Amino acid sequence: MSVETFNPKQTTTLETPKKVMADNAAREGQTMDIGAGNRIGFISLGCPKNLVDSERILTQLRTEGYDVVNTYNDADLVIVNTCGFIDSAVQESLDTIGEALNENGKVIVTGCLGVKEDEIREVHPNVLAITGPHAYETVVEQVHDYLPRPEHNSFEHLVPDHGVKLTPRHFAYLKISEGCNHRCTFCIIPSMRGDLVSRPIGEVLDEAQRLKVAGVKELLVISQDTSAYGVDVKNRTGFWNGMPVKTGMTELCEKLGEMGIWVRLHYVYPYPSVDKVIPLMAAGKVLPYLDIPLQHASPRILKLMKRPAAAERTLERILKWREICPELVIRSTFIVGFPGETEEDFQMLLDFLDAAQLDRVGCFKYSDVDGAKANELPDAVPESVKEERFERFMLKQQAISAAKLQKRIGQQMDVLIDEVDEEGAIGRSYADAPEIDGMVYLNGDTELKPGDLVTVTIEHADEYDLWGSRVV
């Protein structure tokens, strides 16, 4: 399948799931007699949290004996798991639904955009059924309505204990909660996914253990607000392997850190509770990597955004974290051109970049999102000013990133290999999350395979990536 309108600079769609689904379909097509009438085409758009929803739906369908195919023509029905976070993602989702309808004709829609059923049906009235996010059982029931249940043979339709994964075998996303309690004015996620609901800690740790046994070398912990894990249940005590464990981020990280694989934390708000995790990073239990969506540095703009943290306290906390764990790498995202942002506000943001020296940074130009409170704010920033500020921001951060990566030259770093082709191996260090950060290139090293963990001497760097040679 293809989505011709896909533009990685505009949306959050991940490339890896597409490649994994194509590889799986090709491999199963060589060994499996696909029966007519129960073949599912699946397109997963959006962030890693959406990806986990796709994995759960596919796991249930495969358990029931449905086959997953990789072309519209081979599919008896197509499921599109949509993203609706920003306008470009909404448009991509609508375009993808339209492409699926044109190429196949039988389409079920789920995911974040599904909460706006009227908007979808206005453009695509022939969609068979629509649900919102994490509606796993409902989607499967809708499939039952339009496709016959296959004759199930447990020997022919084996599904691994860890379920169907849309990531390579060596890394996986571990979603620990749904929803969010914050009401940021630029965000509509709570209206789509609801308030925070933490998964039972025993269930999360069981899944992590199954993934490790299946060969996963890296767990990427995700949620809408990882720092708030367990707040909704008042950090009640759960059980894992017969032992009591409190439901909280620190306790979760402690247990994950005992599994002997990489553990990477995403979507971490800079609450004081994060302070307790930094010593685990310094001790090598958890990767010294934090993905913190800071969004801005001006106190006035942060207030307009209704963000839950102040920039000055965040900077103090970052400096303290680095005292405890000097190897700590921090990635973040920011918005420029938010309504009411003045040149003074923007300069505060640039000054913050200078002071914080963040390792990995993404930037978005503000755009209205249907249903977001920020749409009602006065003093919209002209598009030309947004673009000019975006360029200045990126130039500032590129210089910071390049300088920090130059310091890596001569260091030895552990690298997890993601891909090997005729030119060599491509991997990531602890400083790099898949799809969003940089890469480490081992030119000419074609003997490795995905999932290998090797030690590399860094020999060259640019603004985002590293090059090196394996230590033999």
Side-chain angles (χ1 to χ4, degrees):
M1 296 180 187
S2 64
V3 182
E4 296 178 359
T5 57
F6 170 65
N7 183 339
K9 293 184 179 179
Q10 293 181 342
T11 73
T12 55
T13 302
L14 301 174
E15 279 295 310
T16 296
K18 295 181 183 179
K19 294 165 62 178
V20 172
M21 289 181 74
D23 291 344
N24 288 345
R27 183 166 54 251
E28 293 188 0
Q30 296 171 357
T31 60
M32 188 179 294
D33 182 18
I34 299 176
N38 54 39
R39 300 166 300 188
I40 305 290
F42 203 104
I43 301 173
S44 183
L45 305 174
C47 65
K49 294 176 285 294
N50 225 33
L51 180 67
V52 173
D53 291 348
S54 296
E55 291 174 339
R56 292 182 179 177
I57 295 169
L58 285 172
T59 295
Q60 183 59 39
L61 291 172
R62 291 291 288 117
T63 299
E64 294 188 5
Y66 290 95
D67 289 312
V68 180
V69 297
N70 198 47
T71 65
Y72 289 118
N73 291 337
D74 290 334
D76 298 297
L77 180 149
V78 176
I79 299 172
V80 181
N81 192 3
T82 59
C83 179
F85 181 53
I86 56 177
D87 286 350
S88 54
V90 170
Q91 188 59 51
E92 183 191 18
S93 293
L94 292 173
D95 289 344
T96 303
I97 295 166
E99 180 180 291
L101 284 168
N102 290 334
E103 296 291 334
N104 182 277
K106 297 178 70 175
V107 178
I108 289 175
V109 175
T110 188
C112 289
L113 188 59
V115 300
K116 300 179 180 179
E117 181 169 355
D118 292 344
E119 182 175 333
I120 295 173
R121 291 204 179 276
E122 183 178 349
V123 181
H124 302 300
N126 294 326
V127 166
L128 296 177
I130 299 173
T131 60
H134 52 85
Y136 323 119
E137 294 85 358
T138 304
V139 174
V140 174
E141 290 171 3
Q142 290 170 347
V143 172
H144 295 162
D145 291 339
Y146 296 98
L147 290 186
R149 290 196 188 206
E151 290 186 13
H152 182 61
N153 185 316
S154 60
F155 293 100
E156 291 181 359
H157 300 100
L158 292 175
V159 177
D161 289 341
H162 60 276
V164 175
K165 307 304 293 181
L166 296 179
T167 51
R169 185 170 181 266
H170 60 280
F171 73 81
Y173 293 101
L174 182 67
K175 184 158 67 168
I176 63 174
S177 65
E178 295 284 0
C180 181
N181 288 341
H182 300 301
R183 296 296 182 265
C184 302
T185 57
F186 57 83
C187 181
I188 57 173
I189 291 297
S191 66
M192 293 178 170
R193 292 184 172 262
D195 289 336
L196 175 71
V197 178
S198 299
R199 292 178 63 194
I201 193 163
E203 179 183 304
V204 174
L205 292 171
D206 279 342
E207 181 178 347
Q209 185 65 43
R210 289 195 300 271
L211 290 169
K212 177 191 174 182
V213 171
V216 166
K217 304 286 185 66
E218 176 183 14
L219 288 173
L220 299 105
V221 179
I222 58 171
S223 66
Q224 294 300 143
D225 181 0
T226 297
S227 307
Y229 176 65
V231 169
D232 57 312
V233 294
K234 299 181 180 179
N235 302 112
R236 71 181 172 213
T237 298
F239 290 88
W240 185 60
N241 285 347
M243 299 294 291
V245 187
K246 282 190 176 182
T247 306
M249 185 177 74
T250 303
E251 293 78 9
L252 176 64
C253 289
E254 287 174 346
K255 292 301 179 184
L256 292 176
E258 295 172 1
M259 294 187 179
I261 56 179
W262 282 11
V263 177
R264 189 182 301 276
L265 302 180
H266 285 277
Y267 313 110
V268 178
Y269 282 86
Y271 302 143
S273 59
V274 181
D275 298 351
K276 299 177 182 178
V277 177
I278 303 302
L280 297 176
M281 296 180 173
K285 300 294 185 181
V286 177
L287 289 183
Y289 176 102
L290 282 177
D291 173 13
I292 307 175
L294 296 172
Q295 307 301 5
H296 215 280
S298 162
R300 193 177 68 85
I301 297 300
L302 286 169
K303 185 175 181 180
L304 288 173
M305 291 179 170
K306 291 193 175 179
R307 294 297 286 169
E312 60 273 13
R313 291 200 297 271
T314 298
L315 184 57
E316 292 175 7
R317 189 157 283 127
I318 288 173
L319 296 176
K320 289 180 180 177
W321 291 342
R322 285 178 173 151
E323 289 179 3
I324 298 169
C325 184
E327 292 301 309
L328 178 64
V329 163
I330 299 176
R331 94 168 314 273
S332 189
T333 52
F334 294 88
I335 297 172
V336 297
F338 191 79
E341 182 189 63
T342 65
E343 179 61 27
E344 181 181 3
D345 294 318
F346 179 67
Q347 187 59 51
M348 287 183 184
L349 179 53
L350 296 183
D351 292 343
F352 178 85
L353 291 181
D354 279 328
Q357 292 289 298
L358 303 178
D359 301 85
R360 303 294 194 186
V361 171
C363 183
F364 296 89
K365 289 174 284 187
Y366 173 80
S367 62
D368 286 345
V369 176
D370 187 26
K373 292 293 185 181
N375 301 348
E376 304 167 8
L377 294 174
D379 303 320
V381 177
E383 290 300 322
S384 60
V385 177
K386 292 180 190 176
E387 180 64 30
E388 186 265 344
R389 289 176 181 170
F390 174 82
E391 295 293 338
R392 287 162 60 194
F393 179 100
M394 293 307 298
L395 284 173
K396 168 74 71 175
Q397 182 56 37
Q398 282 174 0
I400 293 171
S401 177
K404 292 180 79 72
L405 291 183
Q406 284 295 316
K407 295 178 182 178
R408 297 283 188 191
I409 296 176
Q411 292 184 7
Q412 290 189 352
M413 304 185 74
D414 290 336
V415 173
L416 185 62
I417 301 301
D418 283 335
E419 186 176 349
V420 181
D421 57 25
E422 66 277 3
E423 296 183 0
I426 306 171
R428 295 173 291 107
S429 73
Y430 80 90
D432 307 300
E435 303 281 356
I436 55 176
D437 292 329
M439 308 297 296
V440 181
Y441 294 91
L442 284 69
N443 292 343
D445 198 335
T446 58
E447 297 178 357
L448 295 169
K449 60 183 182 297
D452 284 345
L453 186 62
V454 297
T455 303
V456 173
T457 299
I458 304 302
E459 300 167 341
H460 177 70
D462 64 9
E463 293 90 348
Y464 303 109
D465 301 314
L466 299 171
W467 284 257
S469 299
R470 185 165 33 132
V471 176
V472 181

